[in-house]
Amino acid sequence: GLTTPEQLANALQAEHFEGGMLNRFIVVVADKRLNTKRQQIPDAAPPAWLVERIKAIRKADSKNSNGNLATVKKNEPEAMVEPQPRIVQVEPDAVNAMHLFWVANEEKYVGDTLKVQLSARLHEIAMRLSLSIAVFEDHKNPQITKDLYDWCAEWVEMHFLRFALLCNKYRASS
C-alpha cells in the first residue's frame, strides 16, 4: 500500500522492529509523482496454453460456473494446476557476498542488539529482492549473481537508512 513518511513513522512502535514485522516490507521512498498517463498496450492474442487452460477449467465446471471462473471449485481434477517448481541458481560469489553482508553488519553494530536484529532483516530483504528480480528477469532459469545481490543489499541498506532518518525526524514524542 501507499502511505506518507509521517503516517508510517507515527504508526510504528518498537515492537514492530523487535518482532520482525518490518522484514516483511520493502519500503520505497518516491521523490517524483507517478505518471498517470496510460500507455497504449498493443493488441496481442493470449498464449495458446492459456486459452486451453481456461477452456479446460470452464469445461470442468460448466454446469455450475455459467462462465464465471470464480465459481470453479479447487478440488475439481480438471481444474487443478500442476505445480512447476523452479530451481534458482545462486552463484558461489553471490553466496559469499550474502555472508559478507551479514558479517559486516554484525561487526558494524556489535553491542547493539536492536541494530543487529535490524541488519539481519536487511539481509533477508536483500535476499528476497534478489530472488524476485532473478525470477522477473528469467522465470524459466532464475539466477542470483553477485552483482544482483550486491545491488539489492546496497539498495535495501540505503532505503533502510533513509527510513530510519525519517523515523527519527517524525517520531512521536510519547
Side-chain angles (χ1 to χ4, degrees):
L2 300 175
T3 187
T4 65
E6 295 85 6
Q7 289 173 327
L8 181 61
N10 288 334
L12 292 175
Q13 299 172 0
E15 299 85 45
H16 296 135
F17 291 93
E18 295 166 0
M21 183 209 54
L22 286 180
N23 75 320
R24 290 161 177 76
F25 295 94
I26 295 176
V27 178
V28 179
V29 180
D31 294 331
K32 295 182 180 180
R33 304 279 302 157
L34 177 66
N35 182 0
T36 56
K37 292 181 183 175
R38 299 238 181 228
Q39 294 179 351
Q40 288 288 25
I41 299 173
D43 289 333
W49 66 266
L50 180 60
V51 172
E52 294 306 313
R53 182 78 194 111
I54 292 173
K55 284 180 182 177
I57 291 172
R58 288 187 68 190
K59 184 178 178 185
D61 197 50
S62 61
K63 59 186 171 287
N64 299 325
S65 71
N66 201 20
N68 184 354
L69 294 178
T71 62
V72 174
K73 295 174 180 56
K74 292 180 188 176
N75 57 358
E76 294 281 338
E78 295 85 357
M80 299 300 285
V81 176
E82 291 297 318
Q84 296 181 354
R86 300 280 189 253
I87 296 174
V88 177
Q89 302 296 326
V90 182
E91 288 183 351
D93 287 346
V95 173
N96 190 40
M98 291 174 191
H99 177 72
L100 291 175
F101 181 71
W102 177 278
V103 170
N105 279 332
E106 276 196 338
E107 290 173 356
K108 191 186 321 180
Y109 302 121
V110 71
D112 189 333
T113 307
L114 178 60
K115 287 183 179 176
V116 168
Q117 290 175 349
L118 289 173
S119 69
R121 302 295 183 247
L122 295 180
H123 171 65
E124 292 172 10
I125 295 170
M127 288 192 325
R128 289 182 185 145
L129 183 59
S130 60
L131 173 64
S132 299
I133 292 171
V135 170
F136 176 78
E137 286 180 341
D138 183 357
H139 69 93
K140 292 184 179 179
N141 186 24
Q143 184 173 7
I144 299 175
T145 63
K146 179 185 181 308
D147 288 341
L148 175 59
Y149 179 80
D150 284 345
W151 183 88
C152 291
E154 187 176 324
W155 189 88
V156 165
E157 190 167 33
M158 187 260 308
H159 280 284
F160 170 74
L161 292 173
R162 288 184 73 186
F163 174 73
L165 287 171
L166 288 171
C167 287
N168 190 39
K169 184 177 178 181
Y170 296 107
R171 72 173 177 246
S173 58
S174 59

